[in-house]
Amino acid sequence: MNKKTNTVFISLIYMLNFNTGNDKKNFAMKKNMGTVDKIIRIIAALLAAWLIYTNVFTGTLAIIIGIFAGAFVITSLIGFCPLYVPLGLRTCRKKADS
């Protein structure tokens, strides 16, 4: 890898880990997706799969849409969207502090 690529990877790691410091136990992926967000993503993935299956999308476009649909399903199942972290988004309710 060249220096520019290393800089990009380091920047991405920093963005995803900006608030954890050096403590490894704080590096856990905290849920940042709410129920409605998960349902919308699952419906979008099912719709994309159906459109690919019925050949509405074919070729490279079908592959790209299929990858996004897969990412939607995975993020819905684990309740964490890595893109939300650097953007500071959170669609789930915060737990009350006890």
Side-chain angles (χ1 to χ4, degrees), residues 39-90:
I39 291 170
I40 290 171
R41 285 172 182 254
I42 293 290
I43 290 170
L46 290 172
L47 178 64
W50 182 74
L51 291 172
I52 291 169
Y53 179 74
T54 59
N55 292 323
V56 173
F57 297 129
T58 59
T60 305
L61 180 61
I63 293 169
I64 293 170
I65 290 175
I67 290 170
F68 276 101
F72 278 6
V73 170
I74 291 169
T75 55
S76 294
L77 293 176
I78 63 174
F80 175 77
C81 179
L83 187 59
Y84 283 4
V85 175
L87 297 175
L89 298 174
R90 183 180 181 94

Side-chain angles (χ1 to χ4, degrees), residues 3-72:
K3 188 174 182 179
K4 185 176 182 180
T5 307
N6 285 340
T7 304
V8 170
F9 283 128
I10 290 170
S11 297
L12 288 172
I13 291 169
Y14 175 74
M15 285 190 310
L16 292 174
N17 194 18
F18 66 90
N19 63 350
T20 60
N22 291 328
D23 190 3
K24 290 183 180 181
K25 71 178 183 179
N26 286 334
F27 188 68
M29 296 183 301
K30 297 178 182 170
K31 300 213 182 269
N32 61 4
M33 290 176 57
T35 305
V36 174
D37 193 0
K38 292 178 186 179
I39 291 170
I40 290 171
R41 285 172 182 254
I42 293 290
I43 290 170
L46 290 172
L47 178 64
W50 182 74
L51 291 172
I52 291 169
Y53 179 74
T54 59
N55 292 323
V56 173
F57 297 129
T58 59
T60 305
L61 180 61
I63 293 169
I64 293 170
I65 290 175
I67 290 170
F68 276 101
F72 278 6

